[in-house]
Amino acid sequence: MKRKGEYKNMTLITRKDVPIEETWNLADIFSSDREWEKSYSATEQELDELLNEKMSLSSSLNILHFLRTYDSLMERLHQISSYAMFKYSEDESDSVNQNRMGRSQLLVAKGNKVSTKLVNGLTQIPNEVMTQYMDDEKDLHDYDRFLQRIEEARQHSLSPDMEETLTALGQSLESPESIYLTITSSDLKFEPVKDRNGAEVPVSLHMYMTQIETSPDTILRRNAFKSLTKGLSRYQHGLAKTLTNEISKNVSLAKLRGFPSALDMHLQFSPASNNFYTTDGITAEFFEQILDTFQEKLSPHMQRYARLRKSQLDLDTLLFSDVKAPLDPDFDPPISYREAGDIITEAVGVLGSEYQNQMRKAFTDRWVYRGDNIGRRMIAFGGGVHGVHGYSFYPWGGNLFDMLLLSHELGHTIHYTLSAQNQRFINNSQSMLFVESPSTLVEHLVVHYLREHRKDPRLNRWLNMYLMMSYHHNCITHVLEAELLRRLYRKLENNEPLTTSIISDTKGEILSGFWGDTVEIDEGAKLTWMRQPHYYMGLYPFTYSVGISAATVIAQRIKAEGVSIGKQWTNVLKKGGSMKGLDLFKMAGLDMTTTDIFDRTVAYVGTVVDDLEKSF
């Protein structure tokens, strides 16, 4: 029996055949490609002028002038690069999209040079002088967070010449990530496989992670996992070298900037010229406490769940390809995109009318690209464009699972929309520690909404299984990614070489340590380090566990105390990057400086497993 709504697009269509209602409205950024070209040319000219002229920062008024110019310029550059990236995400195989993306990267590189020039100039101003300037010119306080970040980075800033050299090498320094993304999106191919009915099913990274690994069809799951393993293994040596280069680069940069380790650099340093994410200055010791808490305390609950899955699915051995299989295979109600939009919009009403209205716009104003076409980006995302609004990218499959994953990305989208509406661009670099909490909270709210409005015991059990999948993905998969990074950085910093077998074997050791004897860790499981781009994003993976823990507790408080807590959360989101992550959590009533919230999250997961054990 084929699962309802499964594998909607067995034969992928081309981008030109995607119905317009399944695409996003990029005209809100630029009305046409021609308008993009005009903005590109004007922005490039302005960047060149700033690079060629002397930057005078000798008075408070001069500094204010440059900050205003810089803020406006960086916002326009963000719009240009976002438009190019979104077009490229629609179809990465299209030569026009590739060209536009390449040109936008060149323009961003120029923007980075301007950023470095400005930051270098500001770091040369003594702190006491800058304090006097800000006393003299109150409008400088419009850029408090940006200037604060410059002060935070001052201790580890290099000489202006060195910083300019690193900026000039920016594209080369980012090459490990770009090589990884190119290989996984364009070169990596997997053989189609047969399901239990003998039908042929295409395999891709996105389809495997969003549909196949949660399929009730054991034959399909295991065949697809073998296909995935075979496809990944062809590139394992090249991508191992790519990952090694990324780690080696960061170890060298950490030494250059005077950090005791690469972990410390990733946790405590973010250049003020980085307009996307910022670190929060937590210690490597606390980072490791977070990893240890989840690995030690969550493992027993997940092993219980693994034993339940093995028993319920009547499997002799639970393979790694089985760890996300549904325990109630025949329950998977299809859902239309419109109905999903209605449910998500209603569910977030507890966050207040302002938040809910923005979510409604995401559906009515086409903020989401949901076409599942050849050449599209493999990984879903949610974000936005400063001065415009948020956008999400999520190929739609048509079931409850898709609705909840889409709600996650839309959580990012509305967060960015609210923060961009209330913050200046150069103040709005999002806290990496906080950024995954708005997205995972929306998942929880949708689950709560469905429980309250659909009194169906079987649905309630499915929702518990979804929550376990979410904790599996966010608290386990990503924590174990961070654990691999911890170990690989330590090895390289201890002058131990990183080879393909060392990376894969280390991954296998981590998985075996977590799952014990409940899951068979085969060669394919050891290659899961090849599936995610997170290894090229500093220590980003661990932030998911922080985010979902905060979301768990906030969702419980909203359920118990009502919309006042939800509105308080919405006000926190408006602060965007103007505050550090720990301060944002504090404003929301959460103390994330200890492991207490994480312990409470683990305990909650234990109750979900309890309920599932009783429900079968």
Side-chain angles (χ1 to χ4, degrees):
M1 174 180 167
K2 184 179 176 183
R3 187 165 66 145
K4 292 180 182 178
E6 190 174 21
Y7 321 125
K8 182 187 74 165
N9 292 314
M10 301 298 288
T11 302
L12 293 180
I13 59 176
T14 60
R15 169 62 185 89
K16 66 180 177 61
D17 295 322
V18 176
I20 190 170
E21 64 269 16
E22 295 185 9
T23 67
W24 42 25
N25 180 17
L26 298 186
D28 287 348
I29 313 174
F30 293 105
S31 60
S32 65
D33 290 352
R34 179 176 294 181
E35 288 301 311
W36 181 85
E37 290 285 356
K38 288 172 60 177
S39 183
Y40 185 102
S41 297
T43 302
E44 183 173 38
Q45 180 178 348
E46 191 169 349
L47 288 170
D48 286 337
E49 289 173 357
L50 286 175
L51 286 172
N52 292 327
E53 71 180 35
K54 179 177 174 58
M55 189 175 291
S56 175
L57 301 173
S58 56
S59 72
S60 57
L61 284 176
N62 282 343
I63 293 172
L64 180 62
H65 165 73
F66 272 100
L67 287 179
R68 285 173 171 168
T69 299
Y70 176 70
D71 185 45
S72 174
L73 186 59
M74 289 300 105
E75 181 175 313
R76 278 185 282 129
L77 180 58
H78 175 60
Q79 293 169 357
I80 291 167
S81 61
S82 295
Y83 184 88
M85 193 272 282
F86 290 170
K87 286 282 192 180
Y88 183 65
S89 297
E90 294 176 12
D91 185 358
E92 296 179 350
S93 66
D94 183 87
S95 59
V96 174
N97 291 344
Q98 291 172 353
N99 179 267
R100 187 190 294 109
M101 185 66 180
R103 290 174 60 208
S104 110
Q105 289 173 332
L106 291 174
L107 197 65
V108 168
K110 279 192 178 182
N112 289 341
K113 290 179 181 178
V114 170
S115 297
T116 300
K117 185 175 181 179
L118 174 61
V119 171
N120 280 344
L122 291 173
T123 54
Q124 300 308 302
I125 301 172
N127 180 254
E128 59 274 15
V129 175
M130 180 60 76
T131 300
Q132 184 61 53
Y133 283 159
M134 295 181 75
D135 288 340
D136 294 341
E137 181 53 67
K138 302 303 182 184
D139 286 348
L140 280 173
H141 288 285
D142 289 345
Y143 304 96
D144 269 350
R145 180 58 182 144
F146 178 74
L147 294 171
Q148 180 187 18
R149 289 181 61 207
I150 288 178
E151 190 56 36
E152 290 168 356
R154 186 189 296 270
Q155 179 184 351
H156 296 282
S157 294
L158 306 174
S159 69
D161 287 346
M162 285 290 288
E163 293 290 356
E164 289 176 6
T165 299
L166 289 176
T167 300
L169 291 172
Q171 196 166 351
S172 297
L173 292 173
E174 297 303 320
S175 62
E177 180 182 16
S178 62
I179 291 170
Y180 171 84
L181 293 174
T182 299
I183 290 174
T184 53
S185 66
S186 302
D187 295 337
L188 198 54
K189 298 293 184 289
F190 306 99
E191 297 174 0
V193 298
K194 301 287 187 180
D195 65 11
R196 62 189 173 196
N197 298 317
E200 190 171 275
V201 178
V203 178
S204 70
L205 277 175
H206 179 82
M207 181 173 284
Y208 181 83
M209 290 189 287
T210 60
Q211 295 186 52
I212 296 177
E213 72 175 344
T214 58
S215 167
D217 187 339
T218 300
I219 292 174
L220 172 62
R221 285 197 317 273
R222 293 183 174 186
N223 284 345
F225 190 79
K226 290 176 183 176
S227 173
L228 207 69
T229 300
K230 185 176 180 181
L232 291 171
S233 65
R234 295 192 188 104
Y235 288 85
Q236 62 180 313
H237 300 298
L239 288 181
K241 178 58 70 174
T242 303
L243 180 56
T244 299
N245 288 343
E246 172 72 9
I247 292 171
S248 178
K249 172 196 77 177
N250 290 319
V251 168
S252 297
L253 287 174
K255 291 178 180 177
L256 192 64
R257 294 194 178 280
F259 286 97
S261 72
L263 296 186
D264 288 285
M265 181 185 74
H266 281 316
L267 294 166
Q268 298 160 22
F269 181 78
S270 55
S273 55
N274 180 349
N275 292 314
F276 296 101
Y277 296 114
T278 180
T279 58
D280 289 273
I282 69 170
T283 65
E285 180 184 12
F286 186 51
F287 162 74
E288 297 191 73
Q289 285 178 359
I290 295 172
L291 296 193
D292 292 342
T293 295
F294 282 110
Q295 289 180 91
E296 293 169 7
K297 297 182 179 180
L298 198 51
S299 176
H301 296 310
M302 294 308 299
Q303 289 184 24
R304 274 199 298 144
Y305 193 42
R307 284 190 285 269
L308 175 63
R309 175 173 276 112
K310 180 182 176 183
S311 171
Q312 189 63 27
L313 299 180
D314 194 25
L315 298 173
D316 292 333
T317 303
L318 194 69
L319 302 181
F320 198 72
S321 55
D322 301 321
V323 295
K324 291 185 179 179
L327 276 69
D328 186 0
D330 296 324
F331 186 80
D332 186 25
I335 185 170
S336 69
Y337 183 74
R338 169 175 279 186
E339 185 182 4
D342 290 342
I343 290 172
I344 294 170
T345 302
E346 286 299 314
V348 300
V350 294
L351 299 180
S353 59
E354 182 176 6
Y355 189 104
Q356 188 176 45
N357 288 336
Q358 294 295 342
M359 183 65 79
R360 187 175 289 111
K361 286 182 180 180
F363 291 97
T364 60
D365 296 1
R366 287 179 38 228
W367 292 4
V368 181
Y369 188 92
R370 55 189 172 99
D372 191 6
N373 56 274
I374 295 170
R376 60 156 172 77
R377 177 186 168 106
M378 288 293 105
I379 306 298
F381 65 84
V385 181
H386 207 97
V388 186
H389 54 68
Y391 284 96
S392 284
F393 182 89
Y394 186 84
W396 177 252
N399 53 39
L400 289 177
F401 185 74
D402 283 304
M403 179 181 70
L404 282 153
L405 292 184
L406 173 62
S407 76
H408 175 102
E409 301 307 340
L410 287 169
H412 286 304
T413 297
I414 308 305
H415 175 208
Y416 193 92
T417 301
L418 291 170
S419 66
Q421 287 174 347
N422 291 277
Q423 304 300 329
R424 294 182 181 275
F425 182 75
I426 61 172
N427 286 336
N428 204 35
S429 299
Q430 303 295 324
S431 156
M432 286 184 69
L433 204 61
F434 183 84
V435 75
E436 289 298 337
S437 50
S439 53
T440 49
L441 176 64
V442 176
E443 290 182 67
H444 278 276
L445 297 181
V446 173
V447 168
H448 287 181
Y449 179 85
L450 290 173
R451 287 198 205 278
E452 292 175 4
H453 290 82
R454 301 193 179 184
K455 304 297 184 181
D456 180 349
R458 202 173 181 189
L459 173 62
N460 187 66
R461 184 170 66 182
W462 184 92
L463 292 171
N464 276 331
M465 288 187 287
Y466 177 82
L467 285 176
M468 289 306 298
M469 185 286 302
S470 183
Y471 286 115
H472 185 161
H473 185 66
N474 294 301
C475 277
I476 299 168
T477 299
H478 294 320
V479 162
L480 299 187
E481 288 173 351
E483 177 62 28
L484 178 61
L485 286 170
R486 169 164 63 165
R487 296 191 190 190
L488 295 183
Y489 274 112
R490 278 180 174 171
K491 287 178 184 295
L492 201 60
E493 287 175 333
N494 289 330
N495 297 315
E496 299 178 39
L498 298 183
T499 63
T500 306
S501 60
I502 287 175
I503 294 173
S504 294
D505 288 345
T506 303
K507 183 66 176 180
E509 291 168 6
I510 292 168
L511 291 171
S512 295
F514 186 86
W515 291 105
D517 60 0
T518 62
V519 179
E520 182 176 301
I521 305 301
D522 56 17
E523 292 304 309
K526 295 178 182 179
L527 292 179
T528 51
W529 59 268
M530 298 177 66
R531 292 193 203 172
Q532 286 282 0
H534 294 143
Y535 298 106
Y536 303 88
M537 299 168 65
L539 296 179
Y540 191 84
F542 95 100
T543 63
Y544 284 91
S545 63
V546 177
I548 197 172
S549 297
T552 298
V553 175
I554 287 293
Q556 291 171 340
R557 288 191 60 202
I558 291 174
K559 185 177 180 180
E561 302 173 50
V563 72
S564 62
I565 301 300
K567 288 182 177 179
Q568 180 186 19
W569 180 257
T570 296
N571 287 330
V572 173
L573 299 185
K574 293 179 186 179
K575 292 294 183 180
S578 67
M579 296 169 65
K580 290 186 176 183
L582 292 176
D583 293 329
L584 290 169
F585 285 128
K586 185 177 180 180
M587 182 179 171
L590 300 175
D591 180 5
M592 302 294 285
T593 61
T594 72
T595 59
D596 177 62
I597 298 292
F598 310 124
D599 289 334
R600 290 167 63 182
T601 299
V602 170
Y604 176 72
V605 173
T607 66
V608 176
V609 177
D610 291 341
D611 288 346
L612 280 168
E613 288 177 331
K614 295 172 185 175
S615 67
F616 285 101

PDB file of all heavy atoms in Angstrom, residues 153-165:
ATOM      1  N   ALA A 153      35.719  42.891  19.095  1.00  0.00           N
ATOM      2  CA  ALA A 153      36.674  42.230  18.202  1.00  0.00           C
ATOM      3  C   ALA A 153      38.069  42.850  18.266  1.00  0.00           C
ATOM      4  O   ALA A 153      39.043  42.262  17.777  1.00  0.00           O
ATOM      5  CB  ALA A 153      36.164  42.297  16.761  1.00  0.00           C
ATOM      6  N   ARG A 154      38.185  44.030  18.907  1.00  0.00           N
ATOM      7  CA  ARG A 154      39.442  44.775  18.880  1.00  0.00           C
ATOM      8  C   ARG A 154      40.634  43.939  19.356  1.00  0.00           C
ATOM      9  O   ARG A 154      41.708  43.957  18.755  1.00  0.00           O
ATOM     10  CB  ARG A 154      39.303  46.034  19.739  1.00  0.00           C
ATOM     11  CG  ARG A 154      40.502  46.967  19.688  1.00  0.00           C
ATOM     12  CD  ARG A 154      40.371  48.063  20.744  1.00  0.00           C
ATOM     13  NE  ARG A 154      39.232  48.928  20.519  1.00  0.00           N
ATOM     14  CZ  ARG A 154      39.281  50.048  19.774  1.00  0.00           C
ATOM     15  NH1 ARG A 154      40.416  50.400  19.195  1.00  0.00           N
ATOM     16  NH2 ARG A 154      38.211  50.805  19.641  1.00  0.00           N
ATOM     17  N   GLN A 155      40.422  43.190  20.445  1.00  0.00           N
ATOM     18  CA  GLN A 155      41.532  42.435  21.046  1.00  0.00           C
ATOM     19  C   GLN A 155      42.143  41.426  20.074  1.00  0.00           C
ATOM     20  O   GLN A 155      43.339  41.149  20.130  1.00  0.00           O
ATOM     21  CB  GLN A 155      41.033  41.705  22.293  1.00  0.00           C
ATOM     22  CG  GLN A 155      42.099  40.857  22.984  1.00  0.00           C
ATOM     23  CD  GLN A 155      41.546  40.082  24.167  1.00  0.00           C
ATOM     24  OE1 GLN A 155      40.404  40.302  24.580  1.00  0.00           O
ATOM     25  NE2 GLN A 155      42.321  39.171  24.714  1.00  0.00           N
ATOM     26  N   HIS A 156      41.314  40.896  19.184  1.00  0.00           N
ATOM     27  CA  HIS A 156      41.795  39.849  18.277  1.00  0.00           C
ATOM     28  C   HIS A 156      41.905  40.331  16.831  1.00  0.00           C
ATOM     29  O   HIS A 156      42.092  39.525  15.924  1.00  0.00           O
ATOM     30  CB  HIS A 156      40.876  38.629  18.351  1.00  0.00           C
ATOM     31  CG  HIS A 156      40.883  37.973  19.699  1.00  0.00           C
ATOM     32  ND1 HIS A 156      41.912  37.146  20.112  1.00  0.00           N
ATOM     33  CD2 HIS A 156      39.999  38.046  20.733  1.00  0.00           C
ATOM     34  CE1 HIS A 156      41.656  36.713  21.345  1.00  0.00           C
ATOM     35  NE2 HIS A 156      40.512  37.256  21.747  1.00  0.00           N
ATOM     36  N   SER A 157      41.794  41.656  16.645  1.00  0.00           N
ATOM     37  CA  SER A 157      41.978  42.202  15.306  1.00  0.00           C
ATOM     38  C   SER A 157      43.461  42.261  14.978  1.00  0.00           C
ATOM     39  O   SER A 157      44.299  42.523  15.856  1.00  0.00           O
ATOM     40  CB  SER A 157      41.362  43.602  15.209  1.00  0.00           C
ATOM     41  OG  SER A 157      39.961  43.540  15.355  1.00  0.00           O
ATOM     42  N   LEU A 158      43.773  42.034  13.720  1.00  0.00           N
ATOM     43  CA  LEU A 158      45.155  42.088  13.263  1.00  0.00           C
ATOM     44  C   LEU A 158      45.454  43.483  12.737  1.00  0.00           C
ATOM     45  O   LEU A 158      44.601  44.372  12.777  1.00  0.00           O
ATOM     46  CB  LEU A 158      45.366  41.028  12.186  1.00  0.00           C
ATOM     47  CG  LEU A 158      44.972  39.592  12.594  1.00  0.00           C
ATOM     48  CD1 LEU A 158      45.076  38.656  11.409  1.00  0.00           C
ATOM     49  CD2 LEU A 158      45.832  39.109  13.746  1.00  0.00           C
ATOM     50  N   SER A 159      46.631  43.684  12.235  1.00  0.00           N
ATOM     51  CA  SER A 159      46.980  44.976  11.662  1.00  0.00           C
ATOM     52  C   SER A 159      46.089  45.244  10.454  1.00  0.00           C
ATOM     53  O   SER A 159      45.578  44.304   9.830  1.00  0.00           O
ATOM     54  CB  SER A 159      48.448  44.986  11.232  1.00  0.00           C
ATOM     55  OG  SER A 159      48.625  44.111  10.111  1.00  0.00           O
ATOM     56  N   PRO A 160      45.870  46.515  10.116  1.00  0.00           N
ATOM     57  CA  PRO A 160      45.024  46.823   8.955  1.00  0.00           C
ATOM     58  C   PRO A 160      45.468  46.089   7.690  1.00  0.00           C
ATOM     59  O   PRO A 160      44.629  45.593   6.936  1.00  0.00           O
ATOM     60  CB  PRO A 160      45.169  48.341   8.810  1.00  0.00           C
ATOM     61  CG  PRO A 160      45.410  48.813  10.210  1.00  0.00           C
ATOM     62  CD  PRO A 160      46.269  47.740  10.834  1.00  0.00           C
ATOM     63  N   ASP A 161      46.792  46.017   7.447  1.00  0.00           N
ATOM     64  CA  ASP A 161      47.284  45.325   6.254  1.00  0.00           C
ATOM     65  C   ASP A 161      46.918  43.847   6.284  1.00  0.00           C
ATOM     66  O   ASP A 161      46.530  43.269   5.258  1.00  0.00           O
ATOM     67  CB  ASP A 161      48.808  45.480   6.136  1.00  0.00           C
ATOM     68  CG  ASP A 161      49.212  46.882   5.726  1.00  0.00           C
ATOM     69  OD1 ASP A 161      48.324  47.643   5.279  1.00  0.00           O
ATOM     70  OD2 ASP A 161      50.399  47.223   5.851  1.00  0.00           O
ATOM     71  N   MET A 162      47.050  43.214   7.453  1.00  0.00           N
ATOM     72  CA  MET A 162      46.721  41.790   7.576  1.00  0.00           C
ATOM     73  C   MET A 162      45.225  41.560   7.371  1.00  0.00           C
ATOM     74  O   MET A 162      44.815  40.609   6.698  1.00  0.00           O
ATOM     75  CB  MET A 162      47.154  41.274   8.940  1.00  0.00           C
ATOM     76  CG  MET A 162      48.651  41.071   9.081  1.00  0.00           C
ATOM     77  SD  MET A 162      49.223  39.664   8.083  1.00  0.00           S
ATOM     78  CE  MET A 162      48.540  38.293   9.030  1.00  0.00           C
ATOM     79  N   GLU A 163      44.403  42.423   7.957  1.00  0.00           N
ATOM     80  CA  GLU A 163      42.955  42.270   7.799  1.00  0.00           C
ATOM     81  C   GLU A 163      42.554  42.442   6.339  1.00  0.00           C
ATOM     82  O   GLU A 163      41.697  41.713   5.820  1.00  0.00           O
ATOM     83  CB  GLU A 163      42.204  43.283   8.676  1.00  0.00           C
ATOM     84  CG  GLU A 163      42.341  43.051  10.176  1.00  0.00           C
ATOM     85  CD  GLU A 163      41.597  41.804  10.659  1.00  0.00           C
ATOM     86  OE1 GLU A 163      40.906  41.155   9.847  1.00  0.00           O
ATOM     87  OE2 GLU A 163      41.725  41.473  11.846  1.00  0.00           O
ATOM     88  N   GLU A 164      43.186  43.395   5.659  1.00  0.00           N
ATOM     89  CA  GLU A 164      42.886  43.600   4.239  1.00  0.00           C
ATOM     90  C   GLU A 164      43.333  42.405   3.411  1.00  0.00           C
ATOM     91  O   GLU A 164      42.658  42.016   2.452  1.00  0.00           O
ATOM     92  CB  GLU A 164      43.553  44.884   3.741  1.00  0.00           C
ATOM     93  CG  GLU A 164      42.893  46.153   4.289  1.00  0.00           C
ATOM     94  CD  GLU A 164      43.618  47.427   3.883  1.00  0.00           C
ATOM     95  OE1 GLU A 164      44.576  47.323   3.086  1.00  0.00           O
ATOM     96  OE2 GLU A 164      43.229  48.508   4.362  1.00  0.00           O
ATOM     97  N   THR A 165      44.459  41.811   3.790  1.00  0.00           N
ATOM     98  CA  THR A 165      44.937  40.621   3.073  1.00  0.00           C
ATOM     99  C   THR A 165      43.964  39.463   3.240  1.00  0.00           C
ATOM    100  O   THR A 165      43.626  38.766   2.275  1.00  0.00           O
ATOM    101  CB  THR A 165      46.328  40.204   3.590  1.00  0.00           C
ATOM    102  OG1 THR A 165      47.250  41.267   3.363  1.00  0.00           O
ATOM    103  CG2 THR A 165      46.813  38.945   2.873  1.00  0.00           C
TER     104      THR A 165
END
